[in-house]
Amino acid sequence: SGTSSVTMRSSLFNGYDVYLDGKYIGTEGSGSDILDGLYSFRVPGNMWHTIVISKNGRNYEEPGNCVSGASYRFTL
């Protein structure tokens, strides 16, 4: 029921891969996304999710419940 907005921000990584619940969803700085360390996407709301960013064998994992209609920002 609804979605949540998620923004990942990293000053350590540029061009990182993003995974949602174990599935690849995109790469920061590819396609129409600017290579600036920011990557935004939407997730189904009122559900538990695990978001992982990965670059050069280094991973950062952020698990949590995303409430429908809410916005989340994670900074690395």
Side-chain angles (χ1 to χ4, degrees):
S1 63
T3 61
S4 301
S5 173
V6 178
T7 299
M8 306 300 291
R9 167 183 267 161
S10 175
S11 59
L12 303 174
F13 300 119
N14 277 337
Y16 54 82
D17 294 326
V18 182
Y19 297 85
L20 175 64
D21 301 330
K23 296 180 184 171
Y24 170 80
I25 61 169
T27 300
E28 187 273 329
S30 68
S32 62
D33 188 65
I34 298 170
L35 186 64
D36 60 0
L38 294 172
Y39 190 82
S40 297
F41 55 98
R42 298 188 82 67
V43 300
N46 299 330
M47 294 180 65
W48 183 270
H49 295 289
T50 300
I51 300 162
V52 175
I53 70 167
S54 178
K55 175 76 175 191
N56 297 331
R58 296 177 65 190
N59 295 325
Y60 174 80
E61 182 176 307
E62 188 64 49
N65 187 44
C66 295
V67 177
S68 184
S71 295
Y72 300 92
R73 295 187 83 115
F74 300 102
T75 302
L76 309 178

